[in-house]
Amino acid sequence: MKKIAFVFLCCLTGVTFGKAQSTNQYFLFIGTYATEAGPNGIHTYLFDSETGTLRKVQPVTELGNASFLAVNNDQSNLYAVSGSKVNAYALNPGTGQLSFLNSVPSAGSCYVSAAPDGNAVFVGNYGGGNTEAVRTNADGSFDEASVQLLQHQGSSVNKERQEAPHVHATVLSLDGRYLMVPDLGTDRVYQYELSTTSGEILKPASQPWLSVPKGAGPRHLVFHPNGRYAYLVLELQGAVMALDYREGTLKEKQTISMVDKGFKGRLSGADIHVSPDGKFLYASNRGDANEIAIYSIDQKGKLTRIGRQPVMGKTPRNFAIDPTGRFLLVANQDTNEVIVFQRNQTTGLLTPTGESIPVDKPVCLKFAPVQQGPEEKLVAEAVERFRQTMTDPDSDVLASLVSDDLEYVHSSGTVRDKQGFIDEFVKRWTNFSKVDILNQTIKISGDNAIVRHRLVADANNPGYPSKVDIIILMVWRKEGGKWKMLARQAAKIPE
């Protein structure tokens, strides 16, 4: 009989990690600023676009000042800037797990994007005032020898914010042929063409930049789904500029305020997004407004402001519309939470759902669809069988084999025999005694295994039933000769 080790997590409430693919399931990656307590990092949640609910599915990937994230088109990699560098991660599209690959230096980076073909990554360096482009290897890691820097020059009229170039975004056209680069410090949107040669990655477009009014401070830019229009947040002016786009060239056609006439507070436009159906545009305003400005988009791409939604917090630096268009999520940086709003797809207006999650200093939100590979199918199947077991505790739907040759491994990694395992359980859970392991079953298929473990424990605490009947399910995969746990769930058998 094949031997498999498994870890008992001392858990009496069930948690399922990994879920079958559904059009309703998306990973939400949250970039954060560091806090006094530590680096913080990238938080990973599962978002259900039917219900608008969020559930944490991965430990935080520590990275100080992960201020902006990008996921490539095939969801195999995630890229994150962190001040003095930009970092490449492998992304498991079924579990949301991130694995660090490598990084390249940057100069005060604040934005990152990935080419549609996955062959290059583009970084906006606010501190350095330049655009950075770097080629990627087959696994999505950076080719460290291919970094290209395009230095911007100049300044503008706001001596505090525009004393030098400050690149704030690197946004690709929908066809992936051009890169638009808003520079807050110079009041320009630089326009680059992606090179098809094996040498340089970017070169100036035939019209190298678009100038905006002095002191406006261009920040983030988004393309309309039809690719013919684009919209630009003017951070310092607190306005949105509507643009026509054609072959690498932007042309202004409208500028519209984010606030009512007579607004006296501090303006600070931040993020901007178009709804998936192309009918509405949303822009976040920090400063003293702390709201989302809502616009309708007509057939010619022009805007009409139709409403505004307070964000129920402070400093909405970033927000995201889920891919189905049903919900809009706001990262409130200074009140440390992500708020979920329902989006009326007919009127474009927003309504708080009551759903929120606490996250220290959230500053970037990125969605990626859950993709179901072989590991995730195994997890989904095992969880479904677990549920069947809960409705009929005596059924043995999980296993076709019964193993007496199991190793019991404590979370510290200590291998114990059956009695040692029981002793450890009693030691950790002092409310229980006289633990009996009723059965252990295991189903092994190649390098995959499903383990089901059932035990009964007497309860010493009057608040518990006299006996607690527990089933633990674990799903494993063998990698490099060692078993790796993919999912686990534990629950009490109904009395």
Side-chain angles (χ1 to χ4, degrees):
M1 172 61 65
K2 209 180 257 190
K3 180 181 286 187
I4 180 171
F6 66 92
V7 180
F8 183 62
L9 298 181
C10 300
C11 176
L12 298 183
T13 57
V15 178
T16 303
F17 177 66
K19 192 166 183 177
Q21 181 182 13
S22 164
T23 55
N24 300 325
Q25 301 295 324
Y26 296 88
F27 292 117
L28 176 68
F29 298 100
I30 306 174
T32 63
Y33 276 147
T35 67
E36 292 182 1
N40 211 344
I42 304 169
H43 300 242
T44 305
Y45 282 77
L46 188 67
F47 179 74
D48 188 321
S49 64
E50 282 287 340
T51 63
T53 55
L54 288 156
R55 177 168 61 84
K56 192 170 186 176
V57 294
Q58 287 287 353
V60 176
T61 302
E62 288 194 359
L63 179 67
N65 295 318
S67 61
F68 206 85
L69 313 174
V71 178
N72 63 355
N73 278 8
D74 66 2
Q75 288 83 51
S76 60
N77 295 98
L78 180 142
Y79 300 96
V81 298
S82 57
S84 62
K85 60 184 179 179
V86 56
N87 309 272
Y89 294 86
L91 165 61
N92 183 320
T95 67
Q97 182 178 4
L98 299 175
S99 302
F100 178 74
L101 296 173
N102 66 348
S103 62
V104 292
S106 63
S109 52
C110 69
Y111 196 101
V112 62
S113 58
D117 62 9
N119 291 332
V121 168
F122 308 98
V123 183
N125 288 323
Y126 183 92
N130 55 54
T131 304
E132 184 173 353
V134 56
R135 296 195 189 279
T136 56
N137 300 311
D139 65 352
S141 62
F142 294 124
D143 176 359
E144 298 176 29
S146 70
V147 177
Q148 178 188 11
L149 286 177
L150 297 104
Q151 184 63 47
H152 297 189
Q153 303 291 336
S155 60
S156 195
V157 295
N158 187 321
K159 300 306 180 185
E160 292 184 0
R161 296 292 310 280
Q162 297 181 309
E163 81 294 348
H166 292 304
V167 171
H168 230 309
T170 53
V171 182
L172 285 144
S173 60
L174 298 191
D175 60 10
R177 296 173 53 202
Y178 295 90
L179 187 74
M180 305 292 116
V181 182
D183 187 322
L184 183 145
T186 62
D187 282 324
R188 290 175 174 175
V189 179
Y190 288 83
Q191 300 167 154
Y192 294 103
E193 183 177 358
L194 273 66
S195 175
T196 57
T197 67
S198 59
E200 60 186 4
I201 305 170
L202 295 172
K203 60 182 180 181
S206 56
Q207 179 181 315
W209 63 73
L210 166 77
S211 293
V212 303
K214 296 296 184 183
R219 181 182 171 94
H220 282 190
L221 180 146
V222 65
F223 280 93
H224 190 278
N226 67 17
R228 300 196 306 271
Y229 315 131
Y231 302 94
L232 175 68
V233 166
L234 303 174
E235 177 179 340
L236 305 181
Q237 186 177 337
V240 173
M241 180 179 287
L243 304 141
D244 286 317
Y245 172 78
R246 183 184 177 91
E247 293 293 322
T249 300
L250 296 167
K251 183 179 179 181
E252 178 188 356
K253 65 180 175 185
Q254 180 193 20
T255 298
I256 182 169
S257 177
M258 299 176 70
V259 295
D260 292 334
K261 187 176 181 179
F263 178 82
K264 300 298 184 181
R266 183 173 62 90
L267 297 170
S268 185
D271 202 13
I272 187 166
H273 295 283
V274 176
S275 61
D277 61 12
K279 295 180 180 180
F280 300 96
L281 180 134
Y282 303 82
S284 64
N285 193 355
R286 303 170 295 175
D288 296 321
N290 291 305
E291 63 187 19
I292 303 291
I294 307 169
Y295 305 85
S296 63
I297 304 174
D298 69 18
Q299 293 184 347
K300 295 184 179 180
K302 286 192 172 183
L303 303 173
T304 300
R305 188 156 62 89
I306 59 173
R308 63 179 192 265
Q309 174 61 52
V311 296
M312 303 173 63
K314 293 183 178 180
T315 317
R317 182 184 179 90
N318 192 250
F319 68 96
I321 301 172
D322 86 279
T324 70
R326 298 186 184 106
F327 297 93
L328 184 148
L329 284 67
V330 180
N332 286 328
Q333 175 185 336
D334 289 339
T335 44
N336 302 314
E337 61 182 344
V338 175
I339 306 288
V340 181
F341 295 88
Q342 188 163 25
R343 198 181 72 85
N344 186 312
Q345 298 182 70
T346 301
T347 66
L349 300 181
L350 304 174
T351 304
T353 66
E355 178 79 5
S356 65
I357 52 171
V359 180
D360 286 338
K361 302 297 180 187
V363 292
C364 185
L365 305 177
K366 290 293 177 181
F367 284 104
V370 176
Q371 296 184 24
Q372 189 179 43
E375 293 185 6
E376 291 69 51
K377 289 180 181 178
L378 181 70
V379 170
E381 179 185 355
V383 169
E384 179 56 33
R385 287 176 171 176
F386 183 84
R387 289 171 181 158
Q388 293 177 35
T389 306
M390 290 296 95
T391 61
D392 183 6
D394 294 323
S395 70
D396 194 27
V397 298
L398 289 179
S400 60
L401 301 171
V402 177
S403 171
D404 294 323
D405 192 20
L406 298 179
E407 288 181 347
Y408 299 88
V409 183
H410 177 243
S411 58
S412 66
T414 305
V415 177
R416 300 176 183 271
D417 58 16
K418 180 175 178 178
Q419 187 56 49
F421 180 83
I422 292 173
D423 292 343
E424 183 65 36
F425 179 88
V426 172
K427 178 181 177 182
R428 283 182 166 264
W429 292 91
T430 56
N431 289 325
F432 301 108
S433 62
K434 196 182 176 182
V435 176
D436 293 319
I437 296 178
L438 299 185
N439 58 59
Q440 317 106 33
T441 57
I442 178 171
K443 183 176 182 179
I444 300 174
S445 176
D447 288 337
N448 298 319
I450 300 171
V451 174
R452 177 176 176 270
H453 183 98
R454 185 173 175 187
L455 60 85
V456 173
D458 288 346
N460 296 325
N461 190 321
Y464 286 88
S466 58
K467 283 189 180 292
V468 177
D469 196 346
I470 304 169
I471 283 184
I472 301 117
L473 173 89
M474 296 183 185
V475 184
W476 295 79
R477 186 180 185 88
K478 199 170 188 179
E479 296 180 356
K482 295 183 179 180
W483 288 97
K484 174 185 177 183
M485 187 171 64
L486 303 179
R488 58 104 171 119
Q489 190 164 22
K492 290 186 292 185
I493 297 294
E495 292 185 73

